[in-house]
Amino acid sequence: MFKPITIKDIAHALELSPSTVSRALSDSYEINEETKKRVIEYAEKHNYRRNPIASSLRHGRSYSIGVVVCEVANSFFSQAIDGIESVAYGKGYHVIISQSHDAYEREVVNIQHLANRAVDGLLISMSAETKDFSHILKLHEQGLPIVFFDRVIDDFETHTVTSDNRKGAKQATLSLIDRGFKKIAHLANAPHLSITAERLEGYEEALRQCDIPLDESLIRYCHHGGRVQEEVDEAARYFINLREKPDAIFVASDRLSMGCLSAYNKLMPRESHPAVAGFSNSDVLDLLQPGFTCIRQPAFKMGQVAMEMLIQLIESRYPVYDFENIVLETELIQR
Amino acid sequence: MFKPITIKDIAHALELSPSTVSRALSDSYEINEETKKRVIEYAEKHNYRRNPIASSLRHGRSYSIGVVVCEVANSFFSQAIDGIESVAYGKGYHVIISQSHDAYEREVVNIQHLANRAVDGLLISMSAETKDFSHILKLHEQGLPIVFFDRVIDDFETHTVTSDNRKGAKQATLSLIDRGFKKIAHLANAPHLSITAERLEGYEEALRQCDIPLDESLIRYCHHGGRVQEEVDEAARYFINLREKPDAIFVASDRLSMGCLSAYNKLMPRESHPAVAGFSNSDVLDLLQPGFTCIRQPAFKMGQVAMEMLIQLIESRYPVYDFENIVLETELIQR
DNA sequence: GTGAAAGCGCTAACAG
DNA sequence: CTGTTAGCGCTTTCAC
């Protein structure tokens, strides 16, 4: 059906050898300017395009990289993807996005799918449900370059990029305390995610600094990262039914901020909602929800840095043993 | 660096020929059960994975398809992508997503990138800025299977899936009229998009049916589909400054609904906002914005149908000349 | 400055 | 039931 023109066709038409055509198209210094011009003109005229699959096979490289995120319909991740793409395209790489939907099984399947030469490297942000990392470890041991961003794995010898979650969480919590709230709850992400622990630390640190005792009953985890709205609704109902209701909530993620606000909207009039501050990269959420203070992560930058690190790993001639763990600053947006 | 085991390696280790190994791995009926078992065991033990690039080159097929949407951080499109993936994975296809950001140039670059054998077919939803279709037409003439969804092109001989935009728009407008509003504005998408014309028709039809005269000055187009928030803000300011302000607005898309609500939030207190009804597939937008009536498109279904049609084109032995234009029903969600 | 030939990993005739 | 061979399109020595 779809039969594009090949180097052979050009060679035949111009009475040259395929190798000459190949060299002419890659602008080799060995080739006569005159010949180059003929080849390039013919190629353009006939809409020739190098077959990337053959090229990949030859080079043992696909010039594409895989990205694994929980979902793309998420401001943070879509901005990170934009950052990744901005670097990737500039360096001649394709970007293949795949979504785990925060489910362990999807993550395993997708990573398997991407691995083994279909991609030259992987950019991963862990799924909320994943506790077992052997599927990733195995690939890494085989030599597949991997860089983690945002949601990383401990004790994994590779580059990582994250934001300063502890500090951001602390700022957000402090901003609630500053506004006079005393009973501040924490709606947390899945317990085994790296970001969950760090953000929890920041929350605790803020309370400690202001001599507010930590009340464990004010912390609720969402094991599916809010993918299941029911778990967020349940958390909101739990907070509402406490004898001493929280007057404010620090929410650990974009997805959960959305879920939390909508859960409360279903449960009570807006005037009686607790104050909410949380991590969010959404442009509109904060506009639609007056008084919502948010922590912005440098998502675009994080994508860029992650991609740069991955390219460094891919293009390095020798195995890399010296890994960087870059931490970017967050920004507090207060209204 | 990353040197996965090949069929040759297995053949060598087991003292078989590569072809036997290949056949054993694809469970060919010709191969002895005993041999199959040995091969499969060895392959699993050594974590063999078929090199998809070599396989693609051999078959002249990549078993991957390209999706071009304006952006993934959009409820409608991310749901459509989920639908596409659900069918694709089941049939053994990879999905490569690329974003045009509603910009003509990005669309051209991305489509070129995807085409020429890197993908077996294309699923396209047009960018808001695109007026010239020659880049797509050229590929189609060369035989690349293409299916359009949601934002289609007129006079293009191929399968399409859309939703009943005219009817949905009419329902939304009627719902505003029912609630007693008389001066109903229309915030429209880019003028040359297929969906823009259809939704405008529905709006006009609703007015006509209720004997409300059409007032052209109440219609504003967003040439970049709301990608530039400034153009939405400008439209909101325009409506506010009209001598006779609209008391309700029918908004043509998800992105514009967001933009419109946040523009008004910036400009005036919530109590004085006009009523808003519009196309939106967002789960939370309607929850966060009381009184927001929305038209839901069957995005997931649309993705599924589009993918099925594309596979039909790809796998057809003979050129297809009999094209379908499927129209799916929308749903009105009223509060 | 150009060509011939080999090979990336896989598969499908064709032979036995 | 298994092996031999050729070739997908491209690139890159090695010759000339």
PDB file of all heavy atoms in Angstrom, chain D residues 4-16:
ATOM      1  P    DT D   4      22.083 -25.281   7.798  1.00  0.00           P
ATOM      2  OP1  DT D   4      23.399 -25.918   7.935  1.00  0.00           O
ATOM      3  OP2  DT D   4      21.716 -24.122   8.663  1.00  0.00           O
ATOM      4  O5'  DT D   4      21.899 -24.822   6.284  1.00  0.00           O
ATOM      5  C5'  DT D   4      21.120 -25.585   5.376  1.00  0.00           C
ATOM      6  C4'  DT D   4      20.928 -24.741   4.114  1.00  0.00           C
ATOM      7  O4'  DT D   4      19.561 -24.230   4.087  1.00  0.00           O
ATOM      8  C3'  DT D   4      21.840 -23.522   3.998  1.00  0.00           C
ATOM      9  O3'  DT D   4      22.183 -23.376   2.633  1.00  0.00           O
ATOM     10  C2'  DT D   4      20.960 -22.385   4.508  1.00  0.00           C
ATOM     11  C1'  DT D   4      19.589 -22.816   3.979  1.00  0.00           C
ATOM     12  N1   DT D   4      18.380 -22.334   4.745  1.00  0.00           N
ATOM     13  C2   DT D   4      17.291 -21.895   4.034  1.00  0.00           C
ATOM     14  O2   DT D   4      17.246 -21.849   2.817  1.00  0.00           O
ATOM     15  N3   DT D   4      16.222 -21.497   4.827  1.00  0.00           N
ATOM     16  C4   DT D   4      16.167 -21.512   6.210  1.00  0.00           C
ATOM     17  O4   DT D   4      15.155 -21.145   6.787  1.00  0.00           O
ATOM     18  C5   DT D   4      17.355 -21.978   6.872  1.00  0.00           C
ATOM     19  C7   DT D   4      17.391 -22.022   8.353  1.00  0.00           C
ATOM     20  C6   DT D   4      18.406 -22.367   6.124  1.00  0.00           C
ATOM     21  P    DT D   5      23.121 -22.198   2.120  1.00  0.00           P
ATOM     22  OP1  DT D   5      23.788 -22.651   0.886  1.00  0.00           O
ATOM     23  OP2  DT D   5      23.909 -21.685   3.262  1.00  0.00           O
ATOM     24  O5'  DT D   5      22.048 -21.095   1.709  1.00  0.00           O
ATOM     25  C5'  DT D   5      21.035 -21.445   0.773  1.00  0.00           C
ATOM     26  C4'  DT D   5      20.164 -20.232   0.497  1.00  0.00           C
ATOM     27  O4'  DT D   5      19.201 -20.039   1.555  1.00  0.00           O
ATOM     28  C3'  DT D   5      20.948 -18.921   0.378  1.00  0.00           C
ATOM     29  O3'  DT D   5      20.507 -18.277  -0.797  1.00  0.00           O
ATOM     30  C2'  DT D   5      20.576 -18.137   1.634  1.00  0.00           C
ATOM     31  C1'  DT D   5      19.158 -18.659   1.895  1.00  0.00           C
ATOM     32  N1   DT D   5      18.669 -18.595   3.313  1.00  0.00           N
ATOM     33  C2   DT D   5      17.333 -18.377   3.530  1.00  0.00           C
ATOM     34  O2   DT D   5      16.522 -18.226   2.640  1.00  0.00           O
ATOM     35  N3   DT D   5      16.963 -18.344   4.859  1.00  0.00           N
ATOM     36  C4   DT D   5      17.793 -18.493   5.952  1.00  0.00           C
ATOM     37  O4   DT D   5      17.337 -18.445   7.082  1.00  0.00           O
ATOM     38  C5   DT D   5      19.184 -18.718   5.641  1.00  0.00           C
ATOM     39  C7   DT D   5      20.163 -18.886   6.762  1.00  0.00           C
ATOM     40  C6   DT D   5      19.561 -18.756   4.352  1.00  0.00           C
ATOM     41  P    DA D   6      21.327 -17.098  -1.449  1.00  0.00           P
ATOM     42  OP1  DA D   6      21.802 -17.543  -2.768  1.00  0.00           O
ATOM     43  OP2  DA D   6      22.286 -16.561  -0.453  1.00  0.00           O
ATOM     44  O5'  DA D   6      20.167 -16.026  -1.666  1.00  0.00           O
ATOM     45  C5'  DA D   6      18.824 -16.468  -1.835  1.00  0.00           C
ATOM     46  C4'  DA D   6      17.869 -15.384  -1.334  1.00  0.00           C
ATOM     47  O4'  DA D   6      17.633 -15.542   0.088  1.00  0.00           O
ATOM     48  C3'  DA D   6      18.394 -13.957  -1.519  1.00  0.00           C
ATOM     49  O3'  DA D   6      17.323 -13.177  -2.007  1.00  0.00           O
ATOM     50  C2'  DA D   6      18.827 -13.531  -0.127  1.00  0.00           C
ATOM     51  C1'  DA D   6      17.799 -14.274   0.720  1.00  0.00           C
ATOM     52  N9   DA D   6      18.181 -14.531   2.104  1.00  0.00           N
ATOM     53  C8   DA D   6      19.426 -14.810   2.599  1.00  0.00           C
ATOM     54  N7   DA D   6      19.450 -15.009   3.902  1.00  0.00           N
ATOM     55  C5   DA D   6      18.121 -14.855   4.279  1.00  0.00           C
ATOM     56  C6   DA D   6      17.472 -14.946   5.522  1.00  0.00           C
ATOM     57  N6   DA D   6      18.101 -15.235   6.661  1.00  0.00           N
ATOM     58  N1   DA D   6      16.139 -14.742   5.546  1.00  0.00           N
ATOM     59  C2   DA D   6      15.506 -14.461   4.403  1.00  0.00           C
ATOM     60  N3   DA D   6      16.007 -14.353   3.171  1.00  0.00           N
ATOM     61  C4   DA D   6      17.325 -14.565   3.182  1.00  0.00           C
ATOM     62  P    DG D   7      17.657 -11.846  -2.784  1.00  0.00           P
ATOM     63  OP1  DG D   7      16.974 -11.910  -4.090  1.00  0.00           O
ATOM     64  OP2  DG D   7      19.108 -11.558  -2.689  1.00  0.00           O
ATOM     65  O5'  DG D   7      16.905 -10.779  -1.886  1.00  0.00           O
ATOM     66  C5'  DG D   7      15.543 -11.004  -1.510  1.00  0.00           C
ATOM     67  C4'  DG D   7      15.241 -10.149  -0.310  1.00  0.00           C
ATOM     68  O4'  DG D   7      15.793 -10.773   0.864  1.00  0.00           O
ATOM     69  C3'  DG D   7      15.881  -8.750  -0.375  1.00  0.00           C
ATOM     70  O3'  DG D   7      14.884  -7.797  -0.087  1.00  0.00           O
ATOM     71  C2'  DG D   7      16.952  -8.772   0.690  1.00  0.00           C
ATOM     72  C1'  DG D   7      16.364  -9.772   1.676  1.00  0.00           C
ATOM     73  N9   DG D   7      17.301 -10.378   2.598  1.00  0.00           N
ATOM     74  C8   DG D   7      18.619 -10.691   2.395  1.00  0.00           C
ATOM     75  N7   DG D   7      19.194 -11.225   3.445  1.00  0.00           N
ATOM     76  C5   DG D   7      18.183 -11.254   4.406  1.00  0.00           C
ATOM     77  C6   DG D   7      18.200 -11.704   5.749  1.00  0.00           C
ATOM     78  O6   DG D   7      19.130 -12.201   6.383  1.00  0.00           O
ATOM     79  N1   DG D   7      16.966 -11.538   6.366  1.00  0.00           N
ATOM     80  C2   DG D   7      15.855 -11.005   5.749  1.00  0.00           C
ATOM     81  N2   DG D   7      14.755 -10.925   6.495  1.00  0.00           N
ATOM     82  N3   DG D   7      15.813 -10.581   4.505  1.00  0.00           N
ATOM     83  C4   DG D   7      17.009 -10.731   3.893  1.00  0.00           C
ATOM     84  P    DC D   8      15.035  -6.354  -0.652  1.00  0.00           P
ATOM     85  OP1  DC D   8      14.427  -6.336  -1.989  1.00  0.00           O
ATOM     86  OP2  DC D   8      16.425  -5.884  -0.452  1.00  0.00           O
ATOM     87  O5'  DC D   8      14.113  -5.518   0.337  1.00  0.00           O
ATOM     88  C5'  DC D   8      12.843  -5.971   0.769  1.00  0.00           C
ATOM     89  C4'  DC D   8      12.612  -5.469   2.186  1.00  0.00           C
ATOM     90  O4'  DC D   8      13.241  -6.369   3.099  1.00  0.00           O
ATOM     91  C3'  DC D   8      13.263  -4.114   2.447  1.00  0.00           C
ATOM     92  O3'  DC D   8      12.281  -3.096   2.247  1.00  0.00           O
ATOM     93  C2'  DC D   8      13.683  -4.193   3.917  1.00  0.00           C
ATOM     94  C1'  DC D   8      13.679  -5.689   4.244  1.00  0.00           C
ATOM     95  N1   DC D   8      14.986  -6.305   4.603  1.00  0.00           N
ATOM     96  C2   DC D   8      15.148  -7.001   5.805  1.00  0.00           C
ATOM     97  O2   DC D   8      14.185  -7.077   6.586  1.00  0.00           O
ATOM     98  N3   DC D   8      16.350  -7.576   6.100  1.00  0.00           N
ATOM     99  C4   DC D   8      17.362  -7.479   5.228  1.00  0.00           C
ATOM    100  N4   DC D   8      18.510  -8.057   5.571  1.00  0.00           N
ATOM    101  C5   DC D   8      17.220  -6.771   4.002  1.00  0.00           C
ATOM    102  C6   DC D   8      16.032  -6.197   3.726  1.00  0.00           C
ATOM    103  P    DG D   9      12.545  -1.955   1.132  1.00  0.00           P
ATOM    104  OP1  DG D   9      11.294  -1.211   0.989  1.00  0.00           O
ATOM    105  OP2  DG D   9      13.227  -2.519  -0.042  1.00  0.00           O
ATOM    106  O5'  DG D   9      13.595  -1.042   1.878  1.00  0.00           O
ATOM    107  C5'  DG D   9      13.182  -0.279   3.002  1.00  0.00           C
ATOM    108  C4'  DG D   9      14.395   0.371   3.609  1.00  0.00           C
ATOM    109  O4'  DG D   9      15.303  -0.647   4.055  1.00  0.00           O
ATOM    110  C3'  DG D   9      15.188   1.262   2.643  1.00  0.00           C
ATOM    111  O3'  DG D   9      15.291   2.524   3.270  1.00  0.00           O
ATOM    112  C2'  DG D   9      16.520   0.550   2.472  1.00  0.00           C
ATOM    113  C1'  DG D   9      16.628  -0.258   3.758  1.00  0.00           C
ATOM    114  N9   DG D   9      17.377  -1.498   3.664  1.00  0.00           N
ATOM    115  C8   DG D   9      17.437  -2.369   2.605  1.00  0.00           C
ATOM    116  N7   DG D   9      18.183  -3.414   2.825  1.00  0.00           N
ATOM    117  C5   DG D   9      18.654  -3.225   4.116  1.00  0.00           C
ATOM    118  C6   DG D   9      19.510  -4.035   4.899  1.00  0.00           C
ATOM    119  O6   DG D   9      20.025  -5.109   4.592  1.00  0.00           O
ATOM    120  N1   DG D   9      19.727  -3.478   6.163  1.00  0.00           N
ATOM    121  C2   DG D   9      19.182  -2.291   6.588  1.00  0.00           C
ATOM    122  N2   DG D   9      19.504  -1.914   7.828  1.00  0.00           N
ATOM    123  N3   DG D   9      18.388  -1.527   5.871  1.00  0.00           N
ATOM    124  C4   DG D   9      18.162  -2.053   4.651  1.00  0.00           C
ATOM    125  P    DC D  10      16.296   3.624   2.770  1.00  0.00           P
ATOM    126  OP1  DC D  10      15.761   4.923   3.181  1.00  0.00           O
ATOM    127  OP2  DC D  10      16.670   3.381   1.377  1.00  0.00           O
ATOM    128  O5'  DC D  10      17.539   3.313   3.703  1.00  0.00           O
ATOM    129  C5'  DC D  10      17.411   3.530   5.099  1.00  0.00           C
ATOM    130  C4'  DC D  10      18.688   3.134   5.784  1.00  0.00           C
ATOM    131  O4'  DC D  10      19.019   1.801   5.384  1.00  0.00           O
ATOM    132  C3'  DC D  10      19.882   4.000   5.401  1.00  0.00           C
ATOM    133  O3'  DC D  10      20.251   4.742   6.557  1.00  0.00           O
ATOM    134  C2'  DC D  10      20.970   3.020   4.978  1.00  0.00           C
ATOM    135  C1'  DC D  10      20.414   1.667   5.374  1.00  0.00           C
ATOM    136  N1   DC D  10      20.742   0.578   4.428  1.00  0.00           N
ATOM    137  C2   DC D  10      21.590  -0.448   4.825  1.00  0.00           C
ATOM    138  O2   DC D  10      22.080  -0.409   5.958  1.00  0.00           O
ATOM    139  N3   DC D  10      21.856  -1.452   3.959  1.00  0.00           N
ATOM    140  C4   DC D  10      21.308  -1.464   2.758  1.00  0.00           C
ATOM    141  N4   DC D  10      21.589  -2.487   1.933  1.00  0.00           N
ATOM    142  C5   DC D  10      20.435  -0.429   2.320  1.00  0.00           C
ATOM    143  C6   DC D  10      20.181   0.560   3.184  1.00  0.00           C
ATOM    144  P    DT D  11      21.386   5.833   6.409  1.00  0.00           P
ATOM    145  OP1  DT D  11      21.210   6.773   7.523  1.00  0.00           O
ATOM    146  OP2  DT D  11      21.416   6.303   5.004  1.00  0.00           O
ATOM    147  O5'  DT D  11      22.717   4.997   6.687  1.00  0.00           O
ATOM    148  C5'  DT D  11      22.947   4.575   8.017  1.00  0.00           C
ATOM    149  C4'  DT D  11      24.173   3.725   8.056  1.00  0.00           C
ATOM    150  O4'  DT D  11      24.099   2.686   7.059  1.00  0.00           O
ATOM    151  C3'  DT D  11      25.493   4.474   7.796  1.00  0.00           C
ATOM    152  O3'  DT D  11      26.351   4.067   8.839  1.00  0.00           O
ATOM    153  C2'  DT D  11      25.961   3.935   6.437  1.00  0.00           C
ATOM    154  C1'  DT D  11      25.367   2.535   6.470  1.00  0.00           C
ATOM    155  N1   DT D  11      25.119   1.847   5.170  1.00  0.00           N
ATOM    156  C2   DT D  11      25.613   0.582   5.019  1.00  0.00           C
ATOM    157  O2   DT D  11      26.272   0.004   5.873  1.00  0.00           O
ATOM    158  N3   DT D  11      25.306  -0.013   3.808  1.00  0.00           N
ATOM    159  C4   DT D  11      24.576   0.531   2.772  1.00  0.00           C
ATOM    160  O4   DT D  11      24.366  -0.109   1.751  1.00  0.00           O
ATOM    161  C5   DT D  11      24.076   1.869   3.009  1.00  0.00           C
ATOM    162  C7   DT D  11      23.270   2.545   1.958  1.00  0.00           C
ATOM    163  C6   DT D  11      24.374   2.468   4.178  1.00  0.00           C
ATOM    164  P    DT D  12      27.530   5.002   9.285  1.00  0.00           P
ATOM    165  OP1  DT D  12      27.306   5.302  10.704  1.00  0.00           O
ATOM    166  OP2  DT D  12      27.662   6.083   8.276  1.00  0.00           O
ATOM    167  O5'  DT D  12      28.818   4.071   9.175  1.00  0.00           O
ATOM    168  C5'  DT D  12      28.689   2.682   9.491  1.00  0.00           C
ATOM    169  C4'  DT D  12      29.717   1.888   8.717  1.00  0.00           C
ATOM    170  O4'  DT D  12      29.184   1.457   7.442  1.00  0.00           O
ATOM    171  C3'  DT D  12      31.007   2.649   8.402  1.00  0.00           C
ATOM    172  O3'  DT D  12      32.084   1.782   8.667  1.00  0.00           O
ATOM    173  C2'  DT D  12      30.895   2.941   6.916  1.00  0.00           C
ATOM    174  C1'  DT D  12      30.159   1.683   6.451  1.00  0.00           C
ATOM    175  N1   DT D  12      29.446   1.794   5.149  1.00  0.00           N
ATOM    176  C2   DT D  12      29.340   0.648   4.387  1.00  0.00           C
ATOM    177  O2   DT D  12      29.804  -0.419   4.716  1.00  0.00           O
ATOM    178  N3   DT D  12      28.664   0.822   3.208  1.00  0.00           N
ATOM    179  C4   DT D  12      28.095   2.002   2.740  1.00  0.00           C
ATOM    180  O4   DT D  12      27.516   2.015   1.671  1.00  0.00           O
ATOM    181  C5   DT D  12      28.240   3.145   3.597  1.00  0.00           C
ATOM    182  C7   DT D  12      27.681   4.463   3.176  1.00  0.00           C
ATOM    183  C6   DT D  12      28.907   3.005   4.744  1.00  0.00           C
ATOM    184  P    DT D  13      33.326   2.338   9.505  1.00  0.00           P
ATOM    185  OP1  DT D  13      33.751   1.207  10.338  1.00  0.00           O
ATOM    186  OP2  DT D  13      33.014   3.634  10.068  1.00  0.00           O
ATOM    187  O5'  DT D  13      34.435   2.573   8.389  1.00  0.00           O
ATOM    188  C5'  DT D  13      35.599   1.775   8.285  1.00  0.00           C
ATOM    189  C4'  DT D  13      35.318   0.355   7.828  1.00  0.00           C
ATOM    190  O4'  DT D  13      34.153   0.298   6.984  1.00  0.00           O
ATOM    191  C3'  DT D  13      36.495  -0.170   7.017  1.00  0.00           C
ATOM    192  O3'  DT D  13      37.013  -1.358   7.605  1.00  0.00           O
ATOM    193  C2'  DT D  13      35.938  -0.440   5.625  1.00  0.00           C
ATOM    194  C1'  DT D  13      34.416  -0.433   5.828  1.00  0.00           C
ATOM    195  N1   DT D  13      33.693   0.241   4.693  1.00  0.00           N
ATOM    196  C2   DT D  13      33.244  -0.501   3.637  1.00  0.00           C
ATOM    197  O2   DT D  13      33.431  -1.691   3.548  1.00  0.00           O
ATOM    198  N3   DT D  13      32.581   0.218   2.677  1.00  0.00           N
ATOM    199  C4   DT D  13      32.301   1.560   2.673  1.00  0.00           C
ATOM    200  O4   DT D  13      31.678   2.080   1.764  1.00  0.00           O
ATOM    201  C5   DT D  13      32.794   2.290   3.815  1.00  0.00           C
ATOM    202  C7   DT D  13      32.575   3.753   3.922  1.00  0.00           C
ATOM    203  C6   DT D  13      33.462   1.618   4.762  1.00  0.00           C
ATOM    204  P    DC D  14      38.564  -1.754   7.342  1.00  0.00           P
ATOM    205  OP1  DC D  14      38.880  -2.985   8.101  1.00  0.00           O
ATOM    206  OP2  DC D  14      39.363  -0.524   7.530  1.00  0.00           O
ATOM    207  O5'  DC D  14      38.563  -2.105   5.783  1.00  0.00           O
ATOM    208  C5'  DC D  14      37.781  -3.209   5.321  1.00  0.00           C
ATOM    209  C4'  DC D  14      37.757  -3.195   3.814  1.00  0.00           C
ATOM    210  O4'  DC D  14      36.835  -2.190   3.346  1.00  0.00           O
ATOM    211  C3'  DC D  14      39.105  -2.869   3.180  1.00  0.00           C
ATOM    212  O3'  DC D  14      39.454  -3.938   2.328  1.00  0.00           O
ATOM    213  C2'  DC D  14      38.874  -1.566   2.423  1.00  0.00           C
ATOM    214  C1'  DC D  14      37.365  -1.610   2.174  1.00  0.00           C
ATOM    215  N1   DC D  14      36.720  -0.285   2.000  1.00  0.00           N
ATOM    216  C2   DC D  14      35.757  -0.107   0.983  1.00  0.00           C
ATOM    217  O2   DC D  14      35.464  -1.073   0.256  1.00  0.00           O
ATOM    218  N3   DC D  14      35.178   1.110   0.830  1.00  0.00           N
ATOM    219  C4   DC D  14      35.517   2.129   1.625  1.00  0.00           C
ATOM    220  N4   DC D  14      34.911   3.298   1.436  1.00  0.00           N
ATOM    221  C5   DC D  14      36.479   1.970   2.666  1.00  0.00           C
ATOM    222  C6   DC D  14      37.060   0.762   2.810  1.00  0.00           C
ATOM    223  P    DA D  15      40.960  -4.101   1.771  1.00  0.00           P
ATOM    224  OP1  DA D  15      41.554  -5.342   2.289  1.00  0.00           O
ATOM    225  OP2  DA D  15      41.697  -2.828   1.934  1.00  0.00           O
ATOM    226  O5'  DA D  15      40.650  -4.318   0.227  1.00  0.00           O
ATOM    227  C5'  DA D  15      40.485  -3.186  -0.516  1.00  0.00           C
ATOM    228  C4'  DA D  15      39.585  -3.364  -1.695  1.00  0.00           C
ATOM    229  O4'  DA D  15      38.511  -2.410  -1.541  1.00  0.00           O
ATOM    230  C3'  DA D  15      40.362  -2.997  -2.960  1.00  0.00           C
ATOM    231  O3'  DA D  15      39.948  -3.782  -4.045  1.00  0.00           O
ATOM    232  C2'  DA D  15      40.017  -1.522  -3.154  1.00  0.00           C
ATOM    233  C1'  DA D  15      38.622  -1.389  -2.521  1.00  0.00           C
ATOM    234  N9   DA D  15      38.449  -0.089  -1.858  1.00  0.00           N
ATOM    235  C8   DA D  15      39.015   0.346  -0.689  1.00  0.00           C
ATOM    236  N7   DA D  15      38.667   1.564  -0.354  1.00  0.00           N
ATOM    237  C5   DA D  15      37.809   1.957  -1.379  1.00  0.00           C
ATOM    238  C6   DA D  15      37.103   3.136  -1.616  1.00  0.00           C
ATOM    239  N6   DA D  15      37.141   4.190  -0.801  1.00  0.00           N
ATOM    240  N1   DA D  15      36.342   3.205  -2.731  1.00  0.00           N
ATOM    241  C2   DA D  15      36.294   2.144  -3.546  1.00  0.00           C
ATOM    242  N3   DA D  15      36.906   0.976  -3.430  1.00  0.00           N
ATOM    243  C4   DA D  15      37.663   0.952  -2.306  1.00  0.00           C
ATOM    244  P    DC D  16      41.025  -3.883  -5.274  1.00  0.00           P
ATOM    245  OP1  DC D  16      40.623  -5.082  -6.034  1.00  0.00           O
ATOM    246  OP2  DC D  16      42.397  -3.742  -4.726  1.00  0.00           O
ATOM    247  O5'  DC D  16      40.724  -2.595  -6.146  1.00  0.00           O
ATOM    248  C5'  DC D  16      39.564  -2.547  -6.984  1.00  0.00           C
ATOM    249  C4'  DC D  16      39.345  -1.135  -7.416  1.00  0.00           C
ATOM    250  O4'  DC D  16      39.184  -0.288  -6.270  1.00  0.00           O
ATOM    251  C3'  DC D  16      40.508  -0.521  -8.216  1.00  0.00           C
ATOM    252  O3'  DC D  16      40.084  -0.319  -9.547  1.00  0.00           O
ATOM    253  C2'  DC D  16      40.800   0.797  -7.518  1.00  0.00           C
ATOM    254  C1'  DC D  16      39.525   1.015  -6.700  1.00  0.00           C
ATOM    255  N1   DC D  16      39.685   1.890  -5.521  1.00  0.00           N
ATOM    256  C2   DC D  16      38.925   3.078  -5.470  1.00  0.00           C
ATOM    257  O2   DC D  16      38.142   3.341  -6.392  1.00  0.00           O
ATOM    258  N3   DC D  16      39.068   3.910  -4.394  1.00  0.00           N
ATOM    259  C4   DC D  16      39.921   3.583  -3.413  1.00  0.00           C
ATOM    260  N4   DC D  16      40.018   4.425  -2.379  1.00  0.00           N
ATOM    261  C5   DC D  16      40.695   2.396  -3.459  1.00  0.00           C
ATOM    262  C6   DC D  16      40.547   1.582  -4.516  1.00  0.00           C
TER     263       DC D  16
END
